[in-house]
Amino acid sequence: MHRLYALFALLSSASAVAQSSPQKPTPLTVETIMQDPKSWVGTSPSNPFWSDDSKTLYFNWNPDRTLGDSLYKVTFTSSAPRSGRARLLAASQPVKVSPTERRALPAPPVSAFNFAYTQRVFDRQGDLFLLDLKSGSVRQLTNTVEVEMDPTFSGDQKQVIFRRSGSNLFSIDLKTGQLTQLTDFKPGSKKADAKLTDEEKFLKQDQLRLSSVLKERKEKKDEADRISKADQPKRPKEIYLDDKTLVNPTLSPDGRFITYRLMKRPTNAKTAQVPNYITESGYTEEIAARTKVGAPVASQEFFVYDIAKDTVQTVSVKDIPGITDKPAYLQSAKTVKADTAKKVRLVAISSPVWSEDGKFCVVVVRSLDNKDRWIMRLQPETQKLSLLDRQHEDTWIGGPGIGSQNSPGNVGFLGDNQTLWFQSEADGYSHLYTVNVLTGEKKQLTSGKFEVQQAQLSKDKQHFYLQTNEVHPGEQHFYRMAVSGGERTRLTNMTGANDVTLSPDETRMAIRYSSTNQPWELYVMEINQTGTDPKTAKAATANPAIKLTNSLTDAFKAYPWREPSLVTIPARDGQSIYARLYKPATPNGKSVVFVHGAGYLQNAHKWWSQYFREYMFHNLLADKGYTVLDIDYRASAGYGRDWRTGIYRFMGGKDLEDHVDAAKWLVQTQGVDVKRIGIYGGSYGGFITLMAMFTTPDVFKAGAALRPVTDWAAYNHPYTANILNEPQTDSLAYRRSSPINFAEGLKGHLLICHGMVDVNVHFQDAVRLAQRLIELKKENWELAPYPVEDHGFVEPTSWMDEYKRILKLFDERL
């Protein structure tokens, strides 16, 4: 025993010596961190999906670092639960799926199931297949050159309904195999018979009056036509599309009604062209990009085709509550000419959501100015709309689960077939609600200063499965909750992000998990039926997560990647700004503030950032003595409606103020030199960098603006019109939000980097700003163009060149 203690003491002493003199890792370089991540970092697993029996998990992965990902699988077995103990889950090693097996696999089980969950139908390579879940047998339903898609079961479960070649609806009888065409949409216009002039009408009638032969022949022809028409089999009504585009025709569960949208695209909306100089042909080629904000938008109409009556009716929107309301910014704008006319705003109506018994139909209506979302009951026999819920925002409608003009968002019926569930930001955060379509009674199921970021209904319609950030804005966990609301049972326990894919039998979770300094790996976990104490929000540990993949290279693991501190910074208006702080071991007084892109995106969190290259660059900067800060400024995701819309009508307002307040905090709390602070970021981050360098030039001494928006009037409509309205109606918002208007304020050193084939933020933005700086006689700036790069860079050499320039800027100018 004494000898064991002595051995333990010796080992402890040796360990202490090893810890006291750690070997320094190989210093990071830009060449290292910007090389192909596949060979340097490794490739994380992605796109997991389960087999229908919940025993096998498939996922894309590339541990061999080949040119492309391959499909892998892991199979599971579990022991029967012992008294007082959880089932023991065992997993095989990941195995690459052979091409033959992969081609024979049914599509992932997200396709249409029948009500009993005994069958599902899916499309693969343009053909339709029916899978029997009990036997595993697959029956091919079609084998055609034309493409069949979007199959579903009919309301009586006896047919499969699908679209062929993207337009017309068809059905296949599962018993007889009979194929029936349900719609007859035709491009173009119906050729109407030429109208006769009054003179021609008179001559025709007079000839029939004068000639009994002509009259008799006409009567015979008319009778033959009548008989021929009566003998023809019943066909769907011919519906001509004219110059419009058909969108998502849908059959009602009882088979009587077909709803569809027609979209008319404007003919006078000019599309920008992006020149591509580096081409195989050796000639400059034009890439069609997009229209600009304020260009005419497509108008939409919603129709109901009543098969029984052989009629087509338009659903009127003129009586929707608030449909003629003017946006608040126009009501108060002094520069806009007063207009008292009540104009019906343009709207988009979603595809219908039907109750399982087919008795109730609901549609989501969005105003194209995105100020209103109406959830409405549709009675297809009368085309009547009645209001169930209206969410109005003077800013714009958005948030997790809310949907868009092309998607209804998270909306569905509970098991009683008359209670609709949906998500709304009505109380300031995206939460779950229900409304009874008969009584109109509403209920809020979740509440609090957190977001429901994903929601799905269990197969038995007794529970919701939710992903929320209620533990911390920078954590994502998975929960189960009764459909009536109440306490939530937390099912995940690893700190970071838990991206869950449920098994079909809802007993297992595939979890794509990552932490701040560890990239995504795949885990599996049995769902604990007893759950956790919701008051403590601590997940049960009876069923630990099993790690399935190890994706990182040895070279990547050799470096001790920092776990940045998550801090909160006080903003001038009393709000708290969440931020990532990278602290150097030996500070040099220099600091760099990173600005994430997209605006509505979150980066101050506890999982592996999509800005992984920037994360590695921040480690490099910290090694060199820089203090690095990365904030979730106003408009970032994860913090509710008011934070999301804090930039309305003024980009570069509160979002820039948050960065200025963060710089002040760095000086006051981190020992940073007030004259040695730099700023950089891409896309929206490049825009903020420009606004910072132009409008707060005494705060930031140097800045690198990557692929930046320089003039919001040149950006796209869906994103920009939400925030700044349209330039022709809200020119003030565009004027004060566009950096090109403030270029004369530049004092520090500015680097602009932009891909020349960027079809998102066009290279023209950088060129226009360059000309403005030239005319202002500014000399402390440079523009680095990248001839083969789009908005997101691809080539490692481009990444290396760009970040060498950024590092040189900060090293020399701070």
Side-chain angles (χ1 to χ4, degrees):
M1 183 65 72
H2 288 293
R3 296 174 70 181
L4 286 175
Y5 276 122
L7 178 59
F8 177 78
L10 181 62
L11 290 173
S12 299
S13 175
S15 176
V17 170
Q19 292 178 11
S20 64
S21 56
Q23 292 187 349
K24 290 185 177 181
T26 303
L28 294 176
T29 65
V30 172
E31 286 87 348
T32 299
I33 63 178
M34 295 300 165
Q35 64 182 295
D36 183 355
K38 183 169 56 190
S39 58
W40 154 237
V41 181
T43 304
S44 293
S46 61
N47 304 319
F49 66 94
W50 290 90
S51 61
D52 288 281
D53 61 7
S54 301
K55 295 180 180 178
T56 304
L57 180 66
Y58 297 91
F59 53 95
N60 294 112
W61 199 29
N62 191 2
D64 299 328
R65 304 176 189 90
T66 56
L67 290 177
D69 287 3
S70 299
L71 187 67
Y72 279 74
K73 68 178 180 180
V74 173
T75 55
F76 302 97
T77 57
S78 57
S79 62
R82 300 179 184 179
S83 177
R85 296 185 180 180
R87 293 188 302 175
L88 295 177
L89 183 65
S92 71
Q93 292 295 316
V95 177
K96 185 182 292 188
V97 177
S98 69
T100 302
E101 181 183 355
R102 176 176 52 79
R103 284 191 286 267
L105 282 175
V110 293
S111 44
F113 292 84
N114 62 356
F115 292 156
Y117 284 96
T118 58
Q119 295 177 316
R120 71 177 175 96
V121 63
F122 61 93
D123 59 271
R124 182 172 61 198
Q125 299 296 322
D127 289 314
L128 303 183
F129 298 83
L130 179 70
L131 171 65
D132 183 89
L133 296 177
K134 185 176 181 180
S135 66
S137 62
V138 176
R139 170 186 166 192
Q140 186 164 356
L141 301 179
T142 65
N143 187 1
T144 67
V145 174
E146 290 189 275
V147 175
E148 288 95 22
M149 63 185 71
D150 299 334
T152 61
F153 285 91
S154 60
D156 61 9
Q157 309 287 280
K158 296 178 180 179
Q159 298 173 321
V160 168
I161 313 298
F162 64 95
R163 286 190 296 141
R164 174 169 282 176
S165 296
S167 55
N168 282 307
L169 284 176
F170 292 79
S171 70
I172 293 179
D173 188 294
L174 292 176
K175 184 176 182 180
T176 66
Q178 177 178 304
L179 177 68
T180 303
Q181 184 168 342
L182 303 177
T183 63
D184 189 14
F185 293 107
K186 294 180 178 294
S189 302
K190 184 176 182 179
K191 295 181 179 179
D193 293 333
K195 291 185 178 180
L196 301 178
T197 66
D198 291 341
E199 178 194 10
E200 291 168 334
K201 288 179 183 178
F202 172 79
L203 289 174
K204 183 175 182 179
Q205 292 169 358
D206 207 41
Q207 283 296 96
L208 293 174
R209 179 181 65 83
L210 293 172
S211 174
S212 58
V213 172
L214 288 178
K215 183 178 180 181
E216 183 179 344
R217 286 179 180 179
K218 182 179 185 305
E219 289 173 348
K220 286 182 179 179
K221 180 179 182 300
D222 289 346
E223 179 63 13
D225 288 345
R226 186 189 65 78
I227 294 173
S228 176
K229 187 174 182 180
D231 289 343
Q232 288 180 356
K234 184 173 176 58
R235 301 296 188 196
K237 184 180 184 66
E238 291 182 342
I239 301 174
Y240 286 84
L241 303 180
D242 297 324
D243 56 350
K244 301 171 184 176
T245 302
L246 176 70
V247 180
N248 202 19
T250 306
L251 181 70
S252 63
D254 62 5
R256 176 179 169 181
F257 301 102
I258 291 173
T259 59
Y260 62 95
R261 280 188 290 160
L262 291 183
M263 180 183 297
K264 185 174 182 178
R265 302 187 184 279
T267 57
N268 58 339
K270 188 174 183 178
T271 299
Q273 302 291 319
V274 174
N276 184 9
Y277 295 96
I278 310 299
T279 64
E280 291 184 11
S281 69
Y283 290 88
T284 298
E285 299 172 1
E286 299 287 336
I287 302 172
R290 54 164 171 77
T291 59
K292 297 185 179 183
V293 61
V297 297
S299 60
Q300 303 186 36
E301 293 178 285
F302 191 87
F303 296 87
V304 176
Y305 169 30
D306 188 330
I307 297 175
K309 295 181 178 179
D310 198 33
T311 59
V312 174
Q313 299 292 335
T314 306
V315 174
S316 174
V317 300
K318 66 182 180 62
D319 294 325
I320 292 177
I323 191 67
T324 60
D325 291 354
K326 284 187 177 180
Y329 80 95
L330 286 180
Q331 295 175 13
S332 61
K334 296 179 180 180
T335 56
V336 178
K337 185 178 179 180
D339 184 0
T340 57
K342 294 286 187 179
K343 295 181 180 178
V344 174
R345 286 181 286 161
L346 294 177
V347 300
I349 302 179
S350 75
S351 297
V353 177
W354 289 89
S355 59
E356 196 170 273
D357 60 8
K359 293 182 179 179
F360 298 110
C361 175
V362 168
V363 293
V364 177
V365 185
R366 295 283 288 254
S367 61
L368 295 196
D369 63 17
N370 222 4
K371 309 294 185 188
D372 281 281
R373 181 195 70 169
W374 300 270
I375 299 177
M376 311 198 77
R377 179 184 174 186
L378 170 65
Q379 294 173 278
E381 60 275 10
T382 62
Q383 302 85 52
K384 180 183 178 182
L385 291 171
S386 51
L387 184 66
L388 297 173
D389 180 79
R390 177 187 180 187
Q391 184 183 342
H392 169 82
E393 298 294 343
D394 286 342
T395 53
W396 76 94
I397 303 289
I402 309 299
S404 65
Q405 292 173 4
N406 296 316
S407 167
N410 281 337
V411 179
F413 279 91
L414 298 184
D416 64 0
N417 282 316
Q418 67 182 50
T419 302
L420 188 81
W421 67 273
F422 62 97
Q423 283 186 245
S424 172
E425 277 191 328
D427 75 347
Y429 292 83
S430 184
H431 282 297
L432 219 58
Y433 295 77
T434 59
V435 60
N436 188 294
V437 297
L438 283 179
T439 67
E441 180 185 359
K442 291 181 189 175
K443 182 180 180 182
Q444 184 169 353
L445 302 184
T446 61
S447 62
K449 292 184 177 182
F450 65 90
E451 293 183 332
V452 175
Q453 298 175 326
Q454 295 180 25
Q456 66 183 92
L457 193 60
S458 63
K459 285 184 176 179
D460 62 8
K461 299 189 177 183
Q462 297 300 306
H463 295 88
F464 285 108
Y465 290 101
L466 311 174
Q467 177 184 291
T468 81
N469 63 349
E470 59 194 271
V471 172
H472 183 279
E475 283 190 51
Q476 293 177 344
H477 285 287
F478 201 64
Y479 296 80
R480 183 176 58 231
M481 180 185 75
V483 293
S484 57
E487 295 181 342
R488 291 174 294 282
T489 300
R490 196 172 114 194
L491 302 176
T492 53
N493 55 24
M494 295 183 288
T495 299
N498 296 267
D499 185 11
V500 171
T501 302
L502 273 176
S503 63
D505 64 5
E506 299 178 1
T507 64
R508 294 169 181 162
M509 300 180 292
I511 307 172
R512 282 187 75 243
Y513 167 78
S514 72
S515 60
T516 307
N517 59 356
Q518 292 292 313
W520 299 93
E521 298 285 7
L522 198 57
Y523 293 73
V524 71
M525 188 174 178
E526 292 271 340
I527 291 183
N528 181 4
Q529 299 303 318
T530 58
T532 66
D533 180 356
K535 295 179 181 179
T536 62
K538 291 183 178 179
T541 57
N543 299 327
I546 299 174
K547 188 176 182 181
L548 303 178
T549 59
N550 289 286
S551 307
L552 303 180
T553 67
D554 290 338
F556 183 82
K557 290 187 291 186
Y559 181 85
W561 298 103
R562 289 172 175 81
E563 185 172 343
S565 303
L566 273 181
V567 299
T568 56
I569 299 169
R572 66 188 67 183
D573 61 357
Q575 299 294 319
S576 294
I577 307 166
Y578 284 81
R580 277 185 171 191
L581 177 66
Y582 299 77
K583 299 182 70 171
T586 307
N588 60 12
K590 299 180 182 181
S591 181
V592 169
V593 177
F594 170 67
V595 191
H596 69 66
Y600 189 63
L601 182 144
Q602 187 177 9
N603 205 44
H605 50 60
K606 299 181 183 180
W607 62 86
W608 185 246
S609 173
Q610 70 181 67
Y611 291 100
F612 65 92
R613 291 182 178 88
E614 289 79 355
Y615 166 80
M616 294 188 287
F617 184 60
H618 298 162
N619 275 266
L620 183 155
L621 289 174
D623 286 347
K624 293 170 66 68
Y626 288 80
T627 301
V628 183
L629 191 66
D630 171 4
I631 75 171
D632 276 344
Y633 51 88
R634 223 65 60 106
S636 296
Y639 305 95
R641 178 194 61 205
D642 293 344
W643 196 265
R644 174 178 63 80
T645 61
I647 57 171
Y648 179 60
R649 298 190 71 203
F650 192 3
M651 296 178 177
K654 289 184 178 180
D655 45 2
L656 178 56
E657 288 177 356
D658 289 343
H659 285 90
V660 173
D661 293 343
K664 180 180 178 181
W665 178 86
L666 283 169
V667 174
Q668 293 175 341
T669 68
Q670 303 301 312
V672 167
D673 186 337
V674 70
K675 296 181 180 180
R676 305 176 80 188
I677 303 175
I679 186 170
Y680 89 103
S683 195
Y684 198 97
F687 151 72
I688 286 290
T689 298
L690 292 179
M691 290 294 275
M693 297 297 292
F694 294 164
T695 66
T696 59
D698 296 322
V699 177
F700 301 99
K701 187 176 181 182
L706 321 176
R707 54 198 183 277
V709 175
T710 66
D711 184 352
W712 285 108
Y715 197 52
N716 70 33
H717 187 92
Y719 179 89
T720 321
N722 276 345
I723 305 171
L724 300 180
N725 304 307
E726 293 185 341
Q728 58 267 38
T729 60
D730 201 357
S731 58
L732 173 63
Y734 282 81
R735 187 67 57 85
R736 66 184 178 185
S737 299
S738 297
I740 198 167
N741 297 313
F742 306 100
E744 67 274 8
L746 178 64
K747 291 183 180 178
H749 289 266
L750 174 64
L751 166 67
I752 306 167
C753 300
H754 211 129
M756 294 179 67
V757 286
D758 190 335
V759 296
N760 182 11
V761 180
H762 301 158
F763 183 60
Q764 182 187 27
D765 269 50
V767 174
R768 288 182 63 212
L769 178 60
Q771 179 61 27
R772 179 71 178 144
L773 293 169
I774 291 169
E775 293 180 16
L776 290 169
K777 301 177 182 178
K778 299 291 183 180
E779 300 178 357
N780 49 336
W781 64 278
E782 64 176 301
L783 170 61
Y786 294 85
V788 300
E789 296 295 354
D790 198 340
H791 194 61
F793 283 15
V794 174
E795 300 301 326
T797 50
S798 299
W799 282 105
M800 291 177 192
D801 183 272
E802 182 177 53
Y803 275 78
K804 283 181 181 179
R805 292 176 186 273
I806 297 170
L807 182 59
K808 180 181 178 182
L809 173 75
F810 292 146
D811 279 347
E812 293 182 353
R813 301 301 179 181
L814 296 186

